[in-house]
Amino acid sequence: MDMKTQTEAGVSTGRRLMMGNEAIAQGLVEAGCTLAASYPGTPASEILTAVVTGARAAGVEIHAEWSVNEKVALEVALGYSYTGQRAAVAMKQVGLNVASDPLLRAAYVGCPGGLLVVVADDPGPHSSQTEQDSRFLAMFAKLPVLDPATPRQAKEMVGPAYELSEKYELPVLLRPTTRVCHARQVIAWEHPRRVARPAVFVKNPARWCATPQFLRGLHQELNRKIRSVAREPEWQPRLRPGDGSYGRTAVLASGVAWAHAYDWLMAQELLDRVDFYQIVLPYPLNPEFAEYVRTAYDRILVLEETYPVIEMQLAAPRLQGRLHGPVPGEGELTPDVLNDILGAFFDLPLQGRPSPAGSGSRPTLCAGCGHRAAFYAIRTTFPDGIFPGDIGCYTLGMNLGAVDTVHCMGAGISQAAGLYQAFRRQGEVKPPIVATIGDSTFFHAGIPALLNAVIQDARFLLVILDNGTTAMTGHQPTPASGLSAGGEPAPSVQLEELVRACGVGFLAVCDPYDLPALEELLRQAQAQIQAAGGPAVIIARHPCMLAKTGQPRRQVEVTSSCIACHHCLDNFECPALIPSPDTGQVQIDPVLCVGCGVCVHVCHAGAIISRDNGL
Amino acid sequence: MKPKQQIIISGRGGQGVLTLTRLLAETAAALALEVITAETHGMAQRGGSVISMIKVGPFMGPLIAAGQAQVGLFLTPDNLKVHSSYLHPQAAVFVNTASPGSYTALDALDLALRLGLPPVSLNLILLGYAAASGQLFCQPQSLEQTLAAVTPAKWLAASQKALAAGAAAWPA
């Protein structure tokens, strides 16, 4: 719901409930950002889509793109910024690892148009392979990083962040965390005035092509900029002073840890009784502030997620924090974790609190998911195989015993090559190696890995699980979809062409619903690898069940010949197959079943049948 | 004094936890109350246990501390063992289940099926029930207004029917 008004100048304004990611996107639209590039990843995925909708609502033109990966996204934004226009990239924290190469040099050569790098961290982690702290990567790159505590604050930071970026001609990082990205708050918005700037590229080889002879000077310049950024009045630590009840004591916090510390202090009636700082610019921390903290306080507690970035810069002898304790060195600073730390810091009696008694149900592939069928076929065909996996919904193939490794985007293919080399040199009986990767992840980081496997003659089987979308993060288009970020028709690139262009000899395409056909193809591919070498590729193609494909439904039922062996439950794990509490025989949940009919092939006893076999 | 309330909504990914979260937050906003929510996105949405938190009042952070939620809505009883630690000892707890316990039980799935509603609408049935009990910061009428404002036209009639059926199931 939107509470909309019109100001006298004809500018529309309003207030609306927004997710943190939508708030950041709205901030980008209002600040006159005219290019936004992203690769989807939890918790950052919603930002780009919200830029598209925000731009439409405001009637401004923004080029929004799902780039093929984060490195590409950042380089596109850099080139755009070279012409003096405002650009933004959005990604999750491990995406910044992929983009770190262009990021680090961007600090040296800078950017004339404002460039905001929105990088969403995931303390916990909830949906990531690490809980790394992007503020540290900002420090490593020598780039300013902002740490918003709430969706509202994240939006408020965007405009001033662009001003900071343009004043120093430096990219600026905006680092929300999961609890900011996926929180919702009512937030004021306004339609931007059009800020069309002409694209002007000023040739300057000493800067844009800076060779080593120029880099020392550029580094010196960067150091000067960072010293100055640290003293920018807008970004100094924000003090909520105490009344003297707790003399020479201070709590310093940043990000959502500040917000939860605020709630705790309020609940304990300690707000305004102790000096309470919010650090909005964790790097570069003003050295004069650090010196002040060291002299003005005897007891200092630092609360930050997830690494001790502020604490290390403070370098005070009496600090309490992540580095010196009692704050744990890892994990999210939830209200419960903070309660123990703050309770001890203020010497309050700690109340015993209930803790979770059990773990919840684990995530699983959807009923009818083509990945499940593919994993079942792989596991059945190669019971002694080694299965390097990758990052996406299909990571859940580990539940099915068909994913043995998960590392980072695209790693499964290269790890398969490494595993092959290991067993080849040992000269033992070689286990079949079957790697799996999703279509979007293959486009992101799988292509160089496959190319490398071809030229190194790495002998393994790659199954590309092609569901036609980036499913895990909310169905963003892939390069094969032929759709832009705004949903308009766009050029597309087909997987088959790419795989062949990588030099792969054996390529086959199959719908994994046809289990016998896929199993036959897997055997053929393995024979081909043994006979002719090189990697073989099978594209297992079936659209994502959540993409509302309207595929026909079979009437599947379990007959009384079910022997309650639970082979289907243990090896197929479809959420629609459930054991009867009385007999142990398997039943089909009519609500969850989508009628894919794959389980008919799975049952060894022939007890699962499809009434309308021919559809 | 403006109401201050901390609510958890617990369920399995795909059960409509996020829909209820948005509905309650939008309703708080429409009532000019401060509100902040926390949601589960990503991997856990694939059928795993998910929880949302809604804090109505002058809060800064989106998460609820253990033992502080005054209201709990459980779309599946399986999650009681996982998320009950967030509940205050005197919390009002509404659970979609046929089994009675130390909570207020409503077989919302059964009610949905009997009314010819899609199974997923059990979430709105349970919400309507909780609102009619008077334990929420808002009344069923406020939720109805929000529902009408935020629901796509093709699902509105069924959604309204579910919310109203839940409210009507509360013993007057």
Side-chain angles (χ1 to χ4, degrees):
Chain A
M1 277 190 290
D2 218 326
M3 289 143 267
K4 203 186 274 187
T5 54
Q6 287 253 318
T7 63
E8 282 174 21
V11 179
S12 285
T13 63
R15 288 162 58 76
R16 188 173 77 234
L17 188 72
M18 291 186 207
M19 187 196 278
N21 283 341
E22 294 166 344
I24 291 166
Q26 182 63 27
L28 294 173
V29 174
E30 290 178 18
C33 163
T34 45
L35 177 137
S38 182
Y39 183 83
T42 311
S45 308
E46 297 85 0
I47 296 171
L48 191 81
T49 314
V51 167
V52 172
T53 43
R56 275 188 193 142
V60 295
E61 201 177 310
I62 298 181
H63 173 75
E65 68 170 60
W66 289 117
S67 306
V68 78
N69 65 34
E70 296 86 352
K71 177 179 187 288
V72 171
L74 179 53
E75 290 156 353
V76 169
L78 273 170
Y80 194 82
S81 152
Y82 282 7
T83 69
Q85 302 179 87
R86 287 186 170 181
V89 286
M91 61 193 72
K92 69 180 297 176
Q93 88 284 36
V94 291
L96 194 60
N97 298 346
V98 177
S100 61
D101 205 357
L103 183 80
L104 265 72
R105 180 162 160 101
Y108 282 53
V109 301
C111 51
L115 174 55
L116 211 55
V117 179
V118 184
V119 51
D121 280 2
D122 186 23
H126 297 275
S127 212
S128 306
Q129 62 263 42
T130 67
E131 59 169 355
Q132 66 192 60
D133 190 330
S134 297
R135 303 174 310 157
F136 248 135
L137 201 47
M139 188 195 239
F140 179 42
K142 299 194 177 177
L143 286 171
V145 58
L146 309 173
D147 199 356
T150 61
R152 196 174 289 157
Q153 191 174 50
K155 175 174 180 284
E156 284 166 1
M157 281 180 169
V158 173
Y162 270 118
E163 284 161 30
L164 184 71
S165 173
E166 287 177 350
K167 179 173 177 183
Y168 291 95
E169 298 202 357
L170 280 180
V172 170
L173 278 78
L174 177 67
R175 196 285 303 238
T177 54
T178 302
R179 302 305 185 178
V180 174
C181 294
H182 290 158
R184 282 182 205 269
Q185 259 183 324
V186 175
I187 291 171
W189 58 266
E190 65 173 55
H191 281 168
R193 296 153 193 85
R194 285 168 192 273
V195 275
R197 294 182 188 175
V200 179
F201 178 67
V202 181
K203 294 194 183 198
N204 183 359
R207 186 176 181 188
W208 308 130
C209 318
T211 47
Q213 60 170 320
F214 299 106
L215 286 171
R216 191 187 152 131
L218 288 170
H219 189 185
Q220 197 173 32
E221 175 74 5
L222 174 60
N223 287 337
R224 188 194 59 73
K225 287 179 182 177
I226 279 295
R227 279 195 294 276
S228 184
V229 169
R231 293 164 174 85
E232 277 290 326
E234 167 107 29
W235 302 106
Q236 292 309 301
R238 297 173 186 174
L239 170 64
R240 195 169 169 125
D243 61 3
S245 309
Y246 291 87
R248 297 189 64 77
T249 302
V251 177
L252 280 65
S254 80
V256 77
W258 174 84
H260 286 131
Y262 178 101
D263 285 353
W264 187 90
L265 291 168
M266 187 173 62
Q268 303 295 330
E269 296 177 353
L270 287 171
L271 205 58
D272 304 321
R273 293 185 62 199
V274 63
D275 283 5
F276 181 38
Y277 290 90
Q278 184 190 8
I279 314 292
V280 288
L281 179 75
Y283 178 83
L285 194 67
N286 187 343
E288 281 133 35
F289 171 73
E291 182 54 30
Y292 172 76
V293 168
R294 286 191 286 265
T295 52
Y297 301 106
D298 295 326
R299 299 186 71 237
I300 308 152
L301 177 63
V302 184
L303 302 169
E304 57 186 323
E305 287 179 332
T306 310
Y307 292 6
V309 172
I310 297 167
E311 201 180 342
M312 285 179 73
Q313 291 175 89
L314 281 172
R318 294 168 301 278
L319 280 183
Q320 298 187 42
R322 295 263 194 196
L323 205 56
H324 300 91
V327 183
E330 59 289 313
E332 190 176 11
L333 296 182
T334 62
D336 295 327
V337 174
L338 287 175
N339 180 60
D340 292 349
I341 296 164
L342 285 160
F345 187 73
F346 287 98
D347 207 14
L348 298 181
L350 285 177
Q351 298 151 357
R353 291 195 176 225
S355 55
S359 59
S361 33
R362 66 180 183 183
T364 183
L365 295 167
C366 303
C369 178
H371 298 344
R372 173 180 289 104
F375 283 128
Y376 182 82
I378 292 167
R379 183 89 168 83
T380 308
T381 310
F382 304 110
D384 302 321
I386 301 177
F387 308 123
D390 225 292
I391 296 194
C393 288
Y394 49 91
T395 299
L396 294 168
M398 56 195 289
N399 294 357
L400 299 161
V403 167
D404 293 327
T405 71
V406 176
H407 199 81
C408 62
M409 297 281 282
I413 299 177
S414 319
Q415 287 181 320
L419 285 160
Y420 165 73
Q421 302 297 356
F423 285 100
R424 179 184 66 84
R425 275 195 300 132
Q426 264 178 234
E428 293 174 4
V429 178
K430 298 174 189 59
I433 297 166
V434 186
T436 48
I437 190 169
D439 47 336
S440 186
T441 305
F442 179 75
F443 285 115
H444 176 286
I447 299 164
L450 182 58
L451 187 60
N452 185 67
V454 168
I455 61 169
Q456 300 301 333
D457 189 22
R459 301 179 178 198
F460 63 89
L461 177 49
L462 172 65
V463 180
I464 301 179
L465 302 164
D466 179 13
N467 60 6
T469 186
T470 317
M472 178 93 275
T473 49
H475 299 91
Q476 294 81 10
T478 75
S481 305
L483 287 173
S484 72
E488 280 100 29
S492 68
V493 174
Q494 298 313 306
L495 275 176
E496 290 90 324
E497 294 171 27
L498 271 172
V499 170
R500 287 202 195 285
C502 286
V504 171
F506 183 101
L507 171 66
V509 184
C510 179
D511 185 335
Y513 272 22
D514 191 346
L515 274 185
L518 177 55
E519 287 170 7
E520 176 55 28
L521 269 181
L522 287 166
R523 284 189 289 271
Q524 279 178 22
Q526 184 63 15
Q528 172 74 13
I529 292 166
Q530 280 159 356
V537 176
I538 294 173
I539 298 174
R541 179 170 287 153
H542 195 92
C544 175
M545 292 322 300
L546 295 175
K548 311 273 187 283
T549 54
Q551 71 180 28
R553 291 171 71 107
R554 293 164 190 243
Q555 286 300 316
V556 181
E557 58 185 80
V558 184
T559 66
S560 56
S561 38
C562 171
I563 54 171
C565 70
H566 292 184
H567 171 80
C568 59
L569 300 180
D570 298 339
N571 297 284
F572 196 60
E573 207 196 63
C574 176
L577 295 173
I578 42 174
S580 155
D582 308 323
T583 62
Q585 284 183 311
V586 171
Q587 302 169 328
I588 290 179
D589 183 327
V591 173
L592 292 175
C593 179
V594 297
C596 73
V598 177
C599 56
V600 171
H601 301 291
V602 171
C603 180
H604 291 165
I608 306 181
I609 58 163
S610 170
R611 283 282 173 211
D612 43 355
N613 206 22
L615 289 175
Chain B
M1 197 178 132
K2 285 194 166 184
K4 198 172 156 182
Q5 189 166 64
Q6 304 191 60
I7 305 166
I8 61 164
I9 303 174
S10 170
R12 229 177 278 122
Q15 270 195 311
V17 169
L18 292 184
T19 307
L20 293 195
T21 310
R22 273 201 65 188
L23 209 51
L24 283 167
E26 291 278 13
T27 303
L31 295 170
L33 301 170
E34 273 288 313
V35 64
I36 187 161
T37 71
E39 303 170 356
T40 312
H41 289 250
M43 178 72 91
Q45 283 179 285
R46 299 286 176 266
S49 293
V50 295
I51 186 168
S52 277
M53 299 172 172
I54 300 152
K55 294 165 84 173
V56 180
F59 296 102
M60 283 287 176
L63 294 180
I64 296 175
Q68 298 300 308
Q70 291 123 328
V71 178
L73 298 178
F74 285 79
L75 303 187
T76 168
D78 298 349
N79 280 13
L80 281 165
K81 67 179 190 300
V82 192
H83 293 142
S84 286
S85 58
Y86 291 107
L87 297 169
H88 190 273
Q90 273 90 51
V93 187
F94 301 90
V95 185
N96 164 43
T97 178
S99 317
S102 57
Y103 43 74
T104 310
L106 174 72
D107 194 340
L109 176 61
D110 181 62
L111 189 52
L113 297 177
R114 279 194 283 127
L115 292 169
L117 290 166
V120 72
S121 57
L122 75 86
N123 63 345
L124 288 167
I125 292 175
L126 193 69
L127 179 66
Y129 189 69
S133 78
Q135 299 285 345
L136 283 177
F137 69 90
C138 56
Q139 297 303 311
Q141 295 86 324
S142 310
L143 289 169
E144 282 164 24
Q145 286 167 15
T146 314
L147 194 70
V150 303
T151 312
K154 62 175 175 177
W155 296 317
L156 182 57
S159 299
Q160 285 172 327
K161 192 174 166 188
L163 190 69
W170 182 260

